[in-house]
Amino acid sequence: MTIELRRNDYSFDEQQTEVRAMLAGFFGRHSPAEVVRAAEPLGFDAALWQNAEHAGIVGLAFPEARGGQGAGLVELAFAAEAAGRTLAPVPLADHAVATRALLRLDGIDIDVDAAVSGETIYSLAPLSPTGSGRQLVPSGALARGVLARRGAELVLLRRDSPPPQAANDAAAPVAWWDPADPEVSQTVLATGGAAEAAWREALSEWRIATAAALVGLGDGAVSLARGYALERHQFGVPIAAFQAVGHRLVDAHEAVQAARNLTLKAAWFQAEEPLARPELPVMALANAARVAPRITDDCVHVHGGFGLMLESDVSLYHRRSALWGRLGGGSRAHLAEIATALDRAGRRPAPDRSLVAAGGA
Amino acid sequence: MDFSRIELDDEQRAFEAEVREVFENHWTPDPHALNLDHDRPTKELIEQLAQRGWVHPRSPRSQGGAELDAVRARILDLLQIEYRVPRFGNDLILPTVRKYGSDQLRASALPALESGRASFCLGYSEPDSGSDMAAARTRAVPDGDEWVINGAKMFTTYAEIADYVFLLARTGPVEEKHKSLTMFLVPMDTPGIEVKPIHAMGHVGTNMTFYRDVRVADSYRLGAVGEGWRVVSEPLAAEHGAGEGSELAELNGSMGAAFVRTLEEVLGLAVEWARTTEVEPGVLAIDDPLVRNTLAGVLLDIEVEWNTPSEFGKVTASETLLRDADLLVDLMAPAGVLADGADGAVAQGSAAWARAMAPATQIYGGTTDIWRNNVGRGSLGLPRSR
């Protein structure tokens, strides 16, 4: 038995650093809290979506041959994180993942230009393998096409217009898509092994993009809380000087860093070696989904009574943190899937040649 | 970002074989040894490693190292993990001894410290000063060209086998605090030093050390009189994970990585338990959804730790170890509470041992509270806290 060496390099190259800066600049400028609030309760700003398309962000990770920017899953994760940081009311992650999946299939009958531009919004139903009934679809109140797994098939559910939003406190454009609904038509895109592979890839990408959005959400919340704690003075000092406050901020900040690292590592493996660490996408989402609410709990708390008010920007984050990570199921579903990787958690193997067998040294 | 495999060439594979042979011939892995980074290898193995410059493998040969490139150093690292060889080394104090040691001290101490044949212990904490390290009261009084040291140090781990104590001493008025400290490298065989074992939970061993009229030549002083706080700041920063890692190393720093490996061991043993134990007639634990959920949660926690930056790696790794070790005791209850070797013990008693040992991991190298203060100031720009 020989050892395996891997690089463990989380650093960004120059191009990645530029892309991240571009994305942060775009959403920082065009998606301030006023824009987020104005888009409630549906959670969609058509002008921002068009703006993102013109800026090459909608098509960032679509193939150049189809009119996209040709970037990969890692860059898609960057974009989802940047959008998440400002809670941008656009279906960036869901649409990008669903469209990428559609573009990977041969001979499907969709208006590719409308998909690549975002004029027609697509999404996917992450829990569709678990049941044949209606599905709560992320960005489902904006989409006119939803990728789903039905039995052994990969299907595209379509509607002329999106179904109504299912009310929620997060101003998230979620909606029920029911295959039995007469307004929903269904096209089979693939069957058997091809369907399974295509679905697995789409679901993994969706988990990573959603985790990235949650990382951004967490980062945005920490930024608000840190700023508040440095400004707010009580007992003659900034409240950040009190360890009860400071330590919460540190823990939240570090949880964001770890979640980002895990999510980007998952993106790298999914893009480069999807068979090497197949559990990483669900791990990234499971972790992001469980830490984001705790982070916003603490960030709201740091704001004291002001954090509870609907006018507070941090409340926007807290209202969203419980929903974004749960649309693919909760921790029960995530952990059940992670458990299948337990076979690899056996004891580190003993050295190749046993000293006992060889009669000792 | 790059997590790709590195394909080893023939020479690198030959190096791997060479390292394996050394371990096969001079070391017997103990599968029951779980607290690896708190143990020391045998003198025999230390000698083998020292001869080859493998205690500080990346250092120049002129400094007792082997000038291994990053790949070979990582191969050595991974094999030490595989063969369960406790990791040790003097990197924490070597830069300080080289930079601040007198010519005499460098000549007498460096060769053995650089090869790894000699080792050190840290004389930082005292009964009355732990986190407030600069409040140390162990006093060094000048007497001709010697110093006379009196006092006591707490938690002087490895003092019973160390050749030197890296000692923080008070050499001026206590009121001047950070400005009246001086560092010394004191040979442990100097008359007047007493080592008294302290037994801690989970078979953790450390010591109290007493210094009664311990006389050392001025040549054992490290740096200027009164400059001790500045001299010790570099090893302190290194201990707090502020050093650079290589692109082949774990992200979470050496202490964080060590704690996570302990948790991985315990989890592995718990998985074996689950595969071989029924939770109810006909139902193996490994097939029970609640058991799977719990084990998967620990696996997830471990992956999160591997992705935590080194400035915080030891904090979360220690807290995760404590929390998850107890979770695993609970999972395997009641037999999970029994000690290794007890009738009916499971998972080598490792979960019960780990949760007893784990509080120590939150104290090693500075408490997690101090670490949070440091990260708050360093990474978040928060004001000094109280």
Side-chain angles (χ1 to χ4, degrees):
Chain A
M1 195 209 71
T2 49
I3 51 176
E4 175 188 271
L5 249 73
R6 277 190 179 271
R7 293 172 181 86
N8 200 41
D9 180 6
Y10 290 82
S11 66
F12 301 135
D13 62 33
E14 211 178 291
Q15 197 173 38
Q16 288 171 328
T17 303
E18 272 171 30
V19 169
R20 286 180 66 86
M22 178 276 288
L23 290 163
F26 176 86
F27 285 108
R29 234 177 353 265
H30 298 291
S31 182
E34 305 86 74
V35 165
V36 176
R37 284 183 204 290
E40 297 194 347
L42 177 60
F44 179 58
D45 184 322
L48 178 61
W49 186 234
Q50 272 183 11
N51 211 340
E53 197 267 320
H54 295 144
I57 292 173
V58 174
L60 182 68
F62 299 153
E64 277 184 85
R66 305 299 196 97
Q69 302 294 314
L73 184 59
V74 167
E75 285 74 24
L76 172 51
F78 291 165
E81 181 186 342
R85 186 170 290 106
T86 63
L87 310 179
V90 289
L92 182 58
D94 299 328
H95 173 77
V97 167
T99 302
R100 278 166 59 90
L102 289 168
L103 294 178
R104 283 192 290 264
L105 294 163
D106 289 321
I108 55 160
D109 176 29
I110 66 164
D111 180 345
V112 171
D113 290 339
V116 167
S117 71
E119 186 193 317
T120 302
I121 293 169
Y122 288 92
S123 186
L124 66 134
L127 290 169
S128 50
T130 62
S132 56
R134 63 178 189 161
Q135 298 288 318
L136 189 62
V137 175
S139 300
L142 307 176
R144 283 184 281 154
V146 171
L147 207 61
R149 187 94 162 94
R150 301 204 72 214
E153 296 174 330
L154 182 70
V155 306
L156 182 63
L157 304 174
R158 277 193 265 213
R159 285 179 60 114
D160 288 338
S161 62
Q165 180 185 30
N168 62 84
D169 191 41
V174 299
W176 293 99
W177 277 67
D178 189 348
D181 181 343
E183 297 195 44
V184 173
S185 69
Q186 176 176 291
T187 313
V188 176
L189 302 175
T191 59
E196 173 58 30
W199 175 254
R200 183 115 306 266
E201 186 169 7
L203 184 63
S204 295
E205 291 198 351
W206 181 81
R207 285 166 164 171
I208 288 164
T210 303
L214 285 158
V215 168
L217 180 156
D219 200 30
V222 170
S223 180
L224 285 174
R226 174 186 172 271
Y228 181 83
L230 289 171
E231 286 292 310
R232 174 73 170 177
H233 284 64
Q234 292 286 272
F235 308 107
V237 296
I239 64 171
F242 299 116
Q243 287 183 1
V245 174
H247 285 194
R248 275 184 209 250
L249 292 174
V250 166
D251 284 1
H253 169 79
E254 293 292 338
V256 170
Q257 309 313 306
R260 178 186 297 114
N261 286 336
L262 172 52
T263 300
L264 292 179
K265 178 170 152 184
W268 187 95
F269 270 95
Q270 177 60 30
E272 305 292 332
E273 294 184 47
L275 299 179
R277 299 290 311 273
E279 75 284 4
L280 281 180
V282 70
M283 280 186 159
L285 179 57
N287 177 59
R290 75 180 177 180
V291 302
R294 288 187 211 146
I295 287 168
T296 61
D297 288 351
D298 280 336
C299 290
V300 165
H301 189 80
V302 164
H303 283 75
F306 293 117
L308 314 175
M309 297 162 61
L310 293 180
E311 292 94 315
S312 79
D313 288 353
V314 74
S315 73
L316 295 170
Y317 287 80
H318 185 68
R319 288 166 42 214
R320 286 157 176 76
S321 65
L323 177 145
W324 284 10
R326 271 66 182 263
L327 296 173
S331 60
R332 180 177 166 278
H334 298 150
L335 291 173
E337 195 170 323
I338 291 168
T340 64
L342 281 174
D343 294 332
R344 281 196 260 153
R347 253 189 128 200
R348 284 198 293 269
D352 217 6
R353 290 137 51 205
S354 160
L355 284 169
V356 172
Chain B
M1 276 173 32
D2 192 351
F3 301 94
S4 56
R5 286 184 57 158
I6 297 174
E7 296 306 326
L8 302 184
D9 61 34
D10 289 343
E11 282 177 13
Q12 289 162 335
R13 286 283 175 210
F15 176 73
E16 180 189 344
E18 185 191 338
V19 176
R20 284 187 183 279
E21 190 160 349
V22 171
F23 290 148
E24 293 279 346
N25 291 337
H26 299 283
W27 175 248
T28 309
D30 177 3
H32 283 247
L34 290 172
N35 198 12
L36 286 178
D37 287 334
H38 211 74
D39 294 336
R40 280 288 183 265
T42 55
K43 278 203 123 48
E44 179 196 340
L45 183 61
I46 292 175
E47 181 55 35
Q48 292 296 318
L49 296 172
Q51 274 174 23
R52 293 169 173 79
W54 287 356
V55 177
H56 306 108
R58 303 218 63 192
S59 293
R61 277 184 241 277
S62 59
Q63 289 181 356
E67 292 176 10
L68 294 188
D69 57 66
V71 171
R72 279 175 176 72
R74 184 63 176 160
I75 290 172
L76 177 60
D77 221 23
L78 290 174
L79 289 172
Q80 286 183 298
I81 293 168
E82 184 185 317
Y83 282 83
R84 317 172 72 68
V85 174
R87 256 83 81 59
F88 69 105
N90 302 317
D91 277 327
L92 197 64
I93 66 161
L94 278 171
T96 305
V97 177
R98 287 187 196 112
K99 186 169 170 184
Y100 292 106
S102 62
D103 291 342
Q104 251 170 294
L105 180 62
R106 294 206 310 273
S108 66
L110 278 183
L113 284 172
E114 287 180 335
S115 71
R117 289 183 178 91
S119 66
F120 70 98
C121 56
L122 292 173
Y124 290 169
S125 292
E126 300 185 355
D128 289 338
S129 57
S131 292
D132 191 5
M133 193 170 135
R137 287 173 170 276
T138 294
R139 185 159 281 286
V141 172
D143 181 16
D145 58 3
E146 289 182 319
W147 294 85
V148 181
I149 300 171
N150 278 281
K153 290 292 181 186
M154 197 71 183
F155 306 131
T156 336
T157 309
Y158 306 129
E160 76 281 9
I161 52 168
D163 299 280
Y164 297 95
V165 54
F166 187 68
L167 189 86
L168 180 69
R170 176 74 53 200
T171 48
V174 151
E175 311 79 62
E176 286 175 21
K177 201 162 180 190
H178 295 82
K179 298 194 170 76
S180 58
L181 295 165
T182 305
M183 288 300 298
F184 295 87
L185 192 70
V186 178
M188 284 300 290
D189 60 5
T190 311
I193 301 182
E194 182 198 347
V195 177
K196 189 163 167 237
I198 294 173
H199 302 291
M201 298 184 287
H203 308 296
V204 168
T206 181
N207 305 286
M208 198 159 165
T209 47
F210 298 94
Y211 305 84
R212 298 182 182 98
D213 293 334
V214 175
R215 284 185 167 272
V216 289
D218 187 51
S219 58
Y220 287 95
R221 174 170 47 84
L222 292 168
V225 177
E227 288 286 291
W229 192 246
R230 195 165 54 82
V231 169
V232 83
S233 65
E234 283 163 33
L236 274 181
E239 224 179 351
H240 288 173
E244 356 102 28
S246 92
E247 65 145 23
L248 298 178
E250 291 86 0
L251 189 69
N252 54 341
S254 62
M255 262 196 285
F259 303 156
V260 181
R261 274 193 290 272
T262 299
L263 182 57
E264 282 184 328
E265 292 271 355
V266 178
L267 176 63
L269 290 165
V271 170
E272 275 177 33
W273 164 87
R275 287 182 181 139
T276 53
T277 309
E278 289 187 343
V279 283
E280 56 186 79
V283 181
L284 279 177
I286 196 66
D287 296 322
D288 176 83
L290 286 177
V291 171
R292 292 180 71 76
N293 185 289
T294 303
L295 294 172
V298 177
L299 192 64
L300 176 61
D301 286 350
I302 287 169
E303 183 60 42
V304 171
E305 291 310 320
W306 288 129
N307 288 276
T308 302
S310 66
E311 67 173 10
F312 210 59
K314 105 111 197 185
V315 173
T316 53
S318 64
E319 293 173 352
T320 295
L321 174 62
L322 181 57
R323 189 180 67 242
D324 285 351
D326 196 59
L327 202 66
L328 292 172
V329 169
D330 182 83
L331 186 71
M332 298 185 282
V337 309
L338 298 175
D340 192 17
D343 180 16
V346 296
Q348 280 176 207
S350 64
W353 160 75
R355 62 83 55 188
M357 178 277 288
T361 64
Q362 294 179 13
I363 307 291
Y364 292 148
T367 71
T368 50
D369 311 282
I370 292 293
W371 277 66
R372 285 186 163 94
N373 287 354
N374 291 344
V375 170
R377 284 203 314 276
S379 293
L380 288 176
L382 304 184
R384 180 167 288 279
S385 73
R386 286 290 174 266

